[in-house]
Amino acid sequence: MSERNTLLLEKQAKNGTSKYMLERCASVNDYYDIAFKVMLLGDSSVGKTCVLVRFKDGAFLGGNFIATVGIDFRNKVVDVDNLKVKLQIWDTAGQERFRSVTHAYYRDAQALLLLYDITSKMSFDNIRAWLTEIHEYAQKDVVIMLLGNKADVAAERVVKTEDGERLAKEYGVPFMETSAKTGVNVELAFLAIAKELKHRATQQQNEPKFQIHDYIEAQKHKSSCCGHM
Ligand SMILES: Nc1nc2c(ncn2[C@@H]2O[C@H](COP(=O)(O)OP(=O)(O)OP(=O)(O)O)[C@@H](O)[C@H]2O)c(=O)[nH]1
């Protein structure tokens, strides 16, 4: 089955734990040292599924938009300082009618990637409401990152980069603009989250704290001179 067909099947499934998905879950046996749950949040159509597919498979799901129904997940193992870190990434439905389903998953997540679409002012304005929900339902020490997606669509941009930066600063969370289409910053976003979670879980008392903001800025600088991540 092609990736596109698999995704269509999943998106059309009536609930997030269909037999198909449970079977796929049981077949995942990649070796890992440590595992974390990461959730993707944000309005419908901001690109959560596409960002996840870009990270997992390095592909872009163009074509007709099919909204996620309920919740789905994918696993990816990444190397962080010689440890195999498994990210179990939950892709939530952005549509209002699925909120009660997704709320139940917040408390298990160690990190949340909160997305808006740089071509949709409403998706950006709704970020404050998403943060309120996060504070209500998620763990107190959850790692949050703000992503302005669809950075490739420069001609239709309505949210300035500085506005995203300002909002992220106000809430003290890291921020970057991404594109599921070109791949820019997608891997960096997940790797920064994986590093932060790994450091939190394994840090010794005498070790310096991992600085996620500094890491992101250093990597962005590297990629601007040597090609994107
Ligand atoms: N140009 C461009 N289009 C994108 C990008 N990311 C997603 N899209 C398009 O935006 C639409 C919505 O993408 P999805 O990933 O399905 O959105 P979602 O946030 O998962 O939506 P829900 O499942 O309803 O929550 C699709 O038509 C994608 O092809 C991007 O980075 N650039």
Side-chain angles (χ1 to χ4, degrees):
M1 196 184 303
S2 71
E3 177 61 41
R4 179 77 191 159
N5 285 345
T6 307
L7 219 97
L8 292 182
L9 198 150
E10 289 165 10
K11 284 204 157 201
Q12 285 160 351
K14 279 283 177 281
N15 73 54
T17 52
S18 67
K19 185 166 171 283
Y20 173 75
M21 278 183 263
L22 288 175
E23 280 171 2
R24 191 186 61 191
C25 167
S27 76
V28 172
N29 57 3
D30 295 10
Y31 171 78
Y32 62 90
D33 298 298
I34 189 163
F36 300 107
K37 290 198 175 100
V38 179
M39 250 177 119
L40 295 169
L41 295 173
D43 280 9
S44 180
S45 152
V46 296
K48 297 179 294 298
T49 301
C50 289
V51 163
L52 177 51
V53 171
R54 165 62 68 185
F55 176 58
K56 170 84 177 121
D57 303 321
F60 176 60
L61 278 181
N64 290 343
F65 162 54
I66 299 163
T68 300
V69 174
I71 192 153
D72 185 16
F73 78 92
R74 303 219 161 190
N75 294 315
K76 181 152 175 166
V77 178
V78 293
D79 288 317
V80 179
D81 309 333
N82 299 322
L83 270 193
K84 298 257 175 234
V85 176
K86 179 169 111 173
L87 297 178
Q88 186 178 84
I89 307 158
W90 291 86
D91 176 21
T92 64
Q95 288 177 13
E96 187 81 43
R97 65 199 168 107
F98 295 114
R99 288 299 149 80
S100 56
V101 179
T102 53
H103 285 162
Y105 291 83
Y106 277 57
R107 67 177 169 274
D108 290 331
Q110 280 108 3
L112 302 170
L113 290 179
L114 178 54
L115 279 77
Y116 65 88
D117 169 356
I118 66 145
T119 72
S120 160
K121 178 78 166 56
M122 186 183 278
S123 74
F124 180 69
D125 291 343
N126 284 338
I127 289 294
R128 286 181 192 279
W130 280 106
L131 285 160
T132 304
E133 285 207 5
I134 289 169
H135 288 122
E136 191 170 342
Y137 295 100
Q139 296 177 25
K140 290 275 166 292
D141 61 348
V142 70
V143 178
I144 304 170
M145 181 181 285
L146 182 65
L147 301 179
N149 191 42
K150 307 197 187 177
D152 57 286
V153 203
E156 290 166 44
R157 175 190 284 275
V158 293
V159 184
K160 290 187 201 140
T161 306
E162 303 86 90
D163 292 336
E165 284 169 347
R166 201 172 305 122
L167 184 65
K169 202 166 177 193
E170 187 184 326
Y171 284 88
V173 300
F175 166 75
M176 63 186 96
E177 289 191 344
T178 54
S179 167
K181 188 169 184 177
T182 66
V184 73
N185 284 341
V186 171
E187 195 163 328
L188 174 57
F190 285 99
L191 283 185
I193 289 288
K195 273 185 175 279
E196 172 73 21
L197 292 172
K198 181 257 168 190
H199 278 266
R200 283 189 185 198
T202 62
Q203 198 182 5
Q204 305 293 314
Q205 257 181 350
N206 53 354
E207 260 185 312
K209 199 173 170 293
F210 175 67
Q211 301 293 343
I212 191 167
H213 291 85
D214 295 349
Y215 172 76
I216 290 169
E217 287 317 309
Q219 296 300 315
K220 273 190 197 161
H221 181 70
K222 257 195 214 166
S223 63
S224 66
C225 65
C226 326
H228 71 67
M229 290 193 76

